[in-house]
Amino acid sequence: MAVYTLPELPYDYAALEPVINPQIIELHHDKHHAAYVKGANDTLEQLAEARDKEAWGSINGLEKNLAFHLSGHILHSIYWHNMTGDGGGEPLAADGVGDLADAITESFGSFAGFKAQLTKAAATTQGSGWGVLAYEPLSGRLIVEQVYDHQGNVGQGSTPILVFDAWEHAFYLQYKNQKVDFIEAMWAVVNWQDVARRYAAAKERGDSLLLAP
C-alpha cells in the first residue's frame, strides 16, 4: 500500500495561461511530481527491506533519497495550490488577507522589498531548486529561503507558505533558459488566499513544535 499519493490539480491544465502553458502543467504534475511520489514510496519499501535484513550498507543513500523525493512531493503539493488563474497583485486587507500583508511589511519592510528578495532568491538558486517564503516560529517572522534541489539551506522549524519552483522542468518548454522571466511572470498567478491560510495555520501551531526557546 502506497504511503504517498499524487494529489489532483486544483484546476485544469490551461488555467494558468499565459504564465504557464498547459503542456508544462501536464508534464510537471503528471510526470515529474508523480516521479517524486513514486520515489518516496519506493524508498520507504527499500528502507523496510533494509530493516528486515539488517542490511545497512545503503542507509546513507536511502536516507538522502527519501529526503529528496519526499521534499519534492511536499513542495510541489504546496506549489499547485499557491497558484490560481485569478491571482497576482499584492495581498491587501480589502481582500481578506490583511494579516499576511502586515506580516510581510513587518518582516521585509514593504511588499516591494519582499517581492524583490524572493524573486532574486528563486532566480539565483544554484542549479535546481526553489525560492520559498516561510514562517519561522522562533522569531515569529516571515523569512525567504533558498532550497537546493528539494532540501537544505532552510531553518529546521520553518514552514513553507509560498514556493516558487525554479527547476528547469517548471519553465524550460516555454521560457527556455530565461529563469528570471519565469519567476517575474509567476507573480501574476500567486494565490494570496492560499498563502494567507497557510500563514495563519503555521502561526497557530508553529510555537508548539519547538522544544526550546
Side-chain angles (χ1 to χ4, degrees):
M1 182 70 69
V3 175
Y4 303 107
T5 58
L6 180 68
E8 293 185 4
L9 287 172
Y11 35 70
D12 61 41
Y13 295 138
L16 302 179
E17 286 194 293
V19 173
I20 309 178
N21 68 38
Q23 184 183 15
I24 288 178
I25 296 294
E26 182 176 6
L27 288 171
H28 195 170
H29 176 268
D30 296 1
K31 301 298 183 182
H32 290 283
H33 189 172
Y36 301 129
V37 173
K38 183 179 185 302
N41 287 322
D42 288 350
T43 306
L44 287 178
E45 292 181 3
Q46 293 164 9
L47 285 165
E49 182 179 355
R51 291 192 300 272
D52 290 342
K53 296 181 178 180
E54 296 189 0
W56 302 111
S58 59
I59 185 63
N60 286 340
L62 289 175
E63 295 292 356
K64 289 177 181 177
N65 284 344
L66 181 60
F68 176 82
H69 290 296
L70 179 54
S71 295
H73 172 40
I74 291 170
L75 288 167
H76 279 93
S77 296
I78 297 170
Y79 179 67
W80 305 124
H81 287 274
N82 272 170
M83 298 183 291
T84 175
D86 299 324
E90 181 176 345
L92 301 171
D95 298 324
V97 292
D99 286 348
L100 173 65
D102 290 344
I104 288 174
T105 299
E106 181 178 352
S107 297
F108 300 99
S110 66
F111 176 78
F114 153 68
K115 181 178 178 180
Q117 184 176 342
L118 181 54
T119 297
K120 291 296 184 181
T124 61
T125 301
Q126 293 176 335
S128 299
W130 302 71
V132 175
L133 173 67
Y135 174 73
E136 196 285 290
L138 196 60
S139 65
R141 295 171 59 87
L142 294 173
I143 60 174
V144 166
E145 299 175 330
Q146 286 182 321
V147 174
Y148 302 101
D149 287 337
H150 292 315
Q151 73 272 15
N153 205 33
V154 299
Q156 291 299 302
S158 62
T159 300
I161 63 172
L162 173 62
V163 298
F164 279 13
D165 192 342
W167 283 67
E168 286 190 346
H169 64 238
F171 63 87
Y172 198 84
L173 289 177
Q174 185 174 354
Y175 292 85
K176 307 308 180 195
N177 64 334
Q178 299 304 311
K179 183 190 295 187
V180 174
D181 291 347
F182 170 65
I183 299 302
E184 290 282 2
M186 275 286 299
W187 289 102
V189 294
V190 173
N191 184 348
W192 293 115
Q193 298 293 330
D194 181 69
V195 179
R197 286 192 293 269
R198 294 179 187 278
Y199 169 65
K203 186 169 63 170
E204 180 179 351
R205 71 173 186 271
D207 292 343
S208 65
L209 298 178
L210 295 177
L211 300 179

